[in-house]
Amino acid sequence: VARGDVTREHILRQAASVFNRLGYAGASVSDLETATGLRTGGIYRHFPGGKEALAVEAFRWAVDRVDERLAAAVGAPGDAMARLHALVDTWADYGASPPMPGGCPVMNAAIEHDAGGSGALRRQALDTMDRWRALVRDLVAAGQARGELSAGPSPDAVATTLLATMEGAIMLAGLYRDHAPLTHAAEQTKAYLDATLSPT
Amino acid sequence: VARGDVTREHILRQAASVFNRLGYAGASVSDLETATGLRTGGIYRHFPGGKEALAVEAFRWAVDRVDERLAAAVGAPGDAMARLHALVDTWADYGASPPMPGGCPVMNAAIEHDAGGSGALRRQALDTMDRWRALVRDLVAAGQARGELSAGPSPDAVATTLLATMEGAIMLAGLYRDHAPLTHAAEQTKAYLDATLSPT
Amino acid sequence: VARGDVTREHILRQAASVFNRLGYAGASVSDLETATGLRTGGIYRHFPGGKEALAVEAFRWAVDRVDERLAAAVGAPGDAMARLHALVDTWADYGASPPMPGGCPVMNAAIEHDAGGSGALRRQALDTMDRWRALVRDLVAAGQARGELSAGPSPDAVATTLLATMEGAIMLAGLYRDHAPLTHAAEQTKAYLDATLSPT
Amino acid sequence: VARGDVTREHILRQAASVFNRLGYAGASVSDLETATGLRTGGIYRHFPGGKEALAVEAFRWAVDRVDERLAAAVGAPGDAMARLHALVDTWADYGASPPMPGGCPVMNAAIEHDAGGSGALRRQALDTMDRWRALVRDLVAAGQARGELSAGPSPDAVATTLLATMEGAIMLAGLYRDHAPLTHAAEQTKAYLDATLSPT
DNA sequence: ACGCACGGGACACCCCGTTCCT
DNA sequence: AGGAACGGGGTGTCCCGTGCGT
């Protein structure tokens, strides 16, 4: 753990926050300077690829923070439905204790980079979203296979809808600067899961 | 006399598209020049407030395009549940025939301007979202009052969840460049509405 | 004497003043608007050639004003030396009652257009200066031929020096915003003429 | 370390030439770009005050070039009259080997900035002209005090006239693109000095 | 005959992103 | 790792000239 690595981690942490709050285009290297307390010389020493390379790594760093939360939820005790509820609650926690300020990095990247750009960030956002959807989908599929959940809705449709709802709710919570949308969405999502996936 | 108004409308139309696709920070006045075929001299004649003023008006223009669709859906014949389904389908149409390229302008603005900025765009996004939520909420409340819908879930929670889901699905559709998320989300949302709001 | 001619003359008078004070590059059409009380529409009707054509005509107009003064001096009674003194005094009058505000238009044009430009103004300045030099030169030559002046200095050298001195003095008077340089220069020039051109 | 200073000097040198040839209003920053080979970014780094600040410093630089010539002349050996002749010859050299292309910077500034503007350039032109006049005036006064020159004309009048004549001749030389006016003016000025200042 | 809307073009200045030197 | 240096693009302003309307 050399001094350089500490600085590198420091830069990543601050950059992740800056990019997630201001967006890639909206964040300037000067913003990163003030956030890190470093000058361009220092930043470029650690990230020779410049703003873009730093953004890519910062994005990965941010996603890691979210994944830590998800890992805890998906490993929760109980049956499939309990774990689904735990996952929904984890997303709902974005209101009370966000793992990253500025909203969900994946959604932010998806919105900002839906057109143009080098595509690296869009690619990463897509891959992450795929992982997250797989998480829910597999959980549903396994529950259905085990008979803990009804076989009605396709796991993919459930996963997509669950993620759409919670991501949309994070967006609304950010817009309103209020947790209520997340609370409502979590509650209704759980009701939806109960209504459509409870074993008969 | 009307000459200038035609140009102004032309600028607004193109600017709405550019801003919605590239974001406010990501779009340069030069981008607007190429999109409109005008030079800065011409653009600034019609929008003396510069990029920001133009963005504000372009946002309003974009929202108007979405509102036209919603107005048709909310005036659809049938009972409350039918109208809710029509609304959901309208949002789902964002995949097949988007009223604006680049995703939902309100969500885009909400994501980009959640921090900093003059706040004018965030304010407009918030007001628009409030209007949309009121649309759904009133529809649910009226249906419940008339006994067409069960009294269970609060109209506000339903409205918030419906919007979160459909907006999230638009984001996913943009990320995947595929309509499937919108189709799935619409289908599941209608199932959720049926399950929780159908009169006993 | 149509109404249009009055306006045209009005524009010329004001433009001559504006151009002579601010220079061609330093004067904007907007300056001409405020000076004339007209709008571009009116100005361009009378001067379709635009700023440059107007400047050329305004320059000629300004030179005419100076020429009126010179004509009076050169036609003064008395011998050659008396007329030379009268000419020097005419230039010295630039301090007390300038025929054009902003200094000598010929010198101004010569300074501003010594490089580049379309050359029309420089050409006019050159021609005018040639006429003025010829005025002095012929006066000296005639005086020498008539024996009123000594044959020493060449008429051309005297004319060039006299003009250089008085033009330089106008420049100094403008710079100092004081007539003294003109007074001194006129006095010394007359002394120089007396000393070198008086018949033995 | 000296890297920046070299560039700064380079900019000054080129800017002095550009401004002296085209005038302040007639020279664009783009002209400075092509002349220096730098872009606005680089230029503004060295001259944060922009075009005006650069013009002020470039003017000073240009005047320094002229002053170097004058210093050599005023320190020439010989009596007062010899030094006056040397000064006149120095100005006459403006034709054969101009210290600055585009004419005398002081006269150019005096002509262009006789009205309006921030006045900084006019102020500098005035101060420089005062120095130059003092140079001649003191030389004459000292000569008169020492009895090398006749006490007739006032030193101030001689200085003013000498400068007016030589500056006017520079203008004529520029207008005609010919050295002759400078030659003539120098010759006649020396004749004038001899005639009026030679000790009896 | 003149005002005004319109729009192309250039211009000044600023700041961003990056490199190089220390 | 700091800071100077600089290329490049971006924004907003103003200017010049046209053409329509009155």
Side-chain angles (χ1 to χ4, degrees):
Chain A
V1 179
R3 162 164 302 183
D5 289 349
V6 171
T7 301
R8 192 186 150 87
E9 183 79 6
H10 172 68
I11 295 173
L12 273 182
R13 180 190 305 270
Q14 303 302 329
S17 170
V18 167
F19 281 128
N20 208 47
R21 283 183 288 111
L22 306 182
Y24 176 73
S28 71
V29 176
S30 168
D31 291 329
L32 298 172
E33 287 183 323
T34 55
T36 58
L38 294 173
R39 304 295 180 176
T40 59
I43 295 175
Y44 274 81
R45 160 156 295 272
H46 292 282
F47 298 91
K51 187 184 175 185
E52 168 131 13
L54 178 48
V56 168
E57 291 215 50
F59 178 80
R60 195 174 313 237
W61 191 91
V63 167
D64 285 347
R65 298 291 79 70
V66 181
D67 277 337
E68 290 171 359
R69 301 274 185 100
L70 295 178
V74 85
D79 64 359
M81 184 59 82
R83 290 185 179 175
L84 283 174
H85 280 214
L87 264 179
V88 169
D89 287 333
T90 298
W91 257 292
D93 274 347
Y94 233 110
S97 68
M100 280 299 302
C104 174
V106 176
M107 176 170 54
N108 292 350
I111 293 293
E112 182 169 10
H113 304 283
D114 57 354
S118 80
L121 279 168
R122 182 180 166 272
R123 185 77 228 164
Q124 277 192 298
L126 202 153
D127 291 343
T128 306
M129 189 63 81
D130 260 346
R131 272 201 303 108
W132 289 354
R133 280 179 54 247
L135 213 67
V136 179
R137 189 180 59 230
D138 294 349
L139 220 152
V140 170
Q144 287 174 329
R146 262 183 261 116
E148 295 172 10
L149 301 177
S150 89
S154 84
D156 200 56
V158 172
T160 297
T161 305
L162 189 153
L163 271 155
T165 305
M166 298 317 294
E167 292 283 355
I170 291 175
M171 180 269 290
L172 291 179
L175 177 59
Y176 286 108
R177 293 181 181 164
D178 180 10
H179 306 168
L182 274 164
T183 315
H184 283 153
E187 179 190 342
Q188 298 300 312
T189 298
K190 288 190 275 192
Y192 149 73
L193 293 172
D194 289 340
T196 61
L197 281 175
S198 285
T200 52
Chain B
V1 176
R3 195 73 171 171
D5 290 348
V6 169
T7 301
R8 191 187 152 89
E9 183 79 6
H10 173 66
I11 295 173
L12 273 182
R13 181 190 305 269
Q14 303 302 329
S17 170
V18 167
F19 280 130
N20 208 47
R21 281 182 288 112
L22 306 181
Y24 176 74
S28 71
V29 177
S30 169
D31 291 329
L32 299 173
E33 287 184 317
T34 56
T36 58
L38 292 173
R39 308 290 161 189
T40 59
I43 295 176
Y44 276 83
R45 157 158 294 274
H46 292 283
F47 299 92
K51 188 183 173 185
E52 167 131 12
L54 178 48
V56 167
E57 291 214 49
F59 178 80
R60 195 174 312 236
W61 191 91
V63 167
D64 285 347
R65 299 291 78 72
V66 181
D67 277 338
E68 290 172 359
R69 301 274 184 103
L70 296 178
V74 84
D79 63 359
M81 183 60 80
R83 290 186 178 173
L84 283 174
H85 280 214
L87 263 179
V88 168
D89 287 333
T90 298
W91 258 290
D93 273 347
Y94 233 110
S97 69
M100 281 297 303
C104 174
V106 176
M107 175 168 56
N108 292 351
I111 293 293
E112 183 168 10
H113 303 284
D114 57 355
S118 79
L121 278 168
R122 183 182 164 272
R123 186 75 229 168
Q124 277 193 300
L126 203 154
D127 292 343
T128 306
M129 189 63 82
D130 261 345
R131 273 201 302 109
W132 289 356
R133 281 179 53 247
L135 212 68
V136 179
R137 189 181 58 230
D138 293 350
L139 220 150
V140 170
Q144 289 175 331
R146 261 185 259 115
E148 294 172 11
L149 302 176
S150 88
S154 84
D156 199 57
V158 172
T160 298
T161 304
L162 191 154
L163 271 157
T165 305
M166 297 316 294
E167 293 284 354
I170 291 175
M171 181 269 289
L172 290 177
L175 177 60
Y176 286 108
R177 292 180 182 168
D178 180 11
H179 306 169
L182 274 165
T183 315
H184 284 152
E187 181 188 341
Q188 299 301 311
T189 297
K190 289 190 273 192
Y192 148 74
L193 293 172
D194 288 339
T196 59
L197 280 176
S198 284
T200 52
Chain C
V1 179
R3 163 165 300 180
D5 289 350
V6 171
T7 302
R8 192 185 151 87
E9 183 79 6
H10 173 66
I11 294 174
L12 273 182
R13 179 190 306 269
Q14 303 302 329
S17 171
V18 167
F19 280 129
N20 207 47
R21 282 183 287 111
L22 307 181
Y24 176 74
S28 70
V29 175
S30 169
D31 291 328
L32 299 173
E33 288 183 325
T34 56
T36 58
L38 294 174
R39 305 295 179 180
T40 59
I43 295 176
Y44 276 82
R45 161 156 295 272
H46 292 283
F47 298 92
K51 187 184 174 184
E52 167 131 11
L54 178 47
V56 168
E57 291 214 50
F59 178 79
R60 195 173 312 236
W61 191 91
V63 167
D64 285 347
R65 299 290 80 70
V66 182
D67 278 338
E68 289 171 0
R69 300 273 185 105
L70 296 177
V74 85
D79 64 357
M81 183 60 79
R83 290 185 180 174
L84 283 174
H85 281 214
L87 263 179
V88 169
D89 287 334
T90 299
W91 257 290
D93 273 348
Y94 234 109
S97 68
M100 282 297 304
C104 173
V106 176
M107 175 169 56
N108 292 351
I111 293 294
E112 182 169 10
H113 304 284
D114 58 353
S118 80
L121 278 167
R122 182 181 166 273
R123 187 75 228 167
Q124 277 192 299
L126 202 153
D127 291 343
T128 306
M129 189 63 81
D130 260 346
R131 272 200 303 109
W132 289 354
R133 280 178 54 247
L135 212 67
V136 179
R137 189 180 58 229
D138 294 350
L139 220 150
V140 169
Q144 289 175 329
R146 261 184 262 117
E148 295 172 11
L149 302 176
S150 88
S154 84
D156 199 57
V158 172
T160 298
T161 305
L162 191 154
L163 271 157
T165 305
M166 297 317 295
E167 292 284 353
I170 291 176
M171 181 269 290
L172 291 178
L175 177 59
Y176 285 108
R177 291 179 183 169
D178 180 10
H179 307 167
L182 274 165
T183 315
H184 284 152
E187 179 190 342
Q188 298 300 312
T189 298
K190 288 189 275 191
Y192 149 73
L193 293 172
D194 289 339
T196 61
L197 281 176
S198 285
T200 52
Chain D
V1 176
R3 190 77 170 172
D5 289 347
V6 170
T7 301
R8 192 187 150 88
E9 183 79 6
H10 173 67
I11 294 173
L12 272 182
R13 181 189 304 269
Q14 304 302 329
S17 172
V18 167
F19 281 129
N20 208 47
R21 283 182 289 110
L22 306 182
Y24 176 74
S28 71
V29 177
S30 169
D31 291 329
L32 299 173
E33 287 183 318
T34 56
T36 58
L38 291 173
R39 309 289 159 194
T40 60
I43 295 176
Y44 275 83
R45 152 157 291 274
H46 293 283
F47 299 91
K51 187 184 173 186
E52 167 131 12
L54 178 48
V56 168
E57 291 215 48
F59 178 80
R60 195 174 314 234
W61 191 91
V63 167
D64 285 347
R65 298 292 79 71
V66 181
D67 278 337
E68 290 171 358
R69 301 274 184 102
L70 296 179
V74 86
D79 63 359
M81 184 60 80
R83 290 185 180 175
L84 284 174
H85 281 213
L87 264 179
V88 169
D89 287 334
T90 299
W91 258 291
D93 273 347
Y94 233 110
S97 69
M100 281 297 304
C104 173
V106 175
M107 176 168 55
N108 292 350
I111 293 294
E112 183 169 9
H113 303 284
D114 57 354
S118 80
L121 278 168
R122 182 182 165 272
R123 185 76 227 166
Q124 278 193 297
L126 202 154
D127 291 343
T128 305
M129 189 62 82
D130 261 346
R131 273 200 304 107
W132 290 355
R133 281 178 54 245
L135 213 66
V136 180
R137 189 181 58 229
D138 293 349
L139 221 150
V140 170
Q144 288 174 330
R146 262 185 259 115
E148 294 172 12
L149 302 176
S150 88
S154 84
D156 199 56
V158 172
T160 298
T161 305
L162 190 154
L163 271 157
T165 305
M166 298 316 294
E167 293 284 353
I170 291 175
M171 180 268 289
L172 291 178
L175 177 59
Y176 286 107
R177 292 181 181 164
D178 181 10
H179 306 169
L182 274 164
T183 315
H184 283 153
E187 180 189 341
Q188 298 301 312
T189 298
K190 288 191 274 193
Y192 148 73
L193 292 172
D194 289 338
T196 60
L197 281 175
S198 284
T200 51

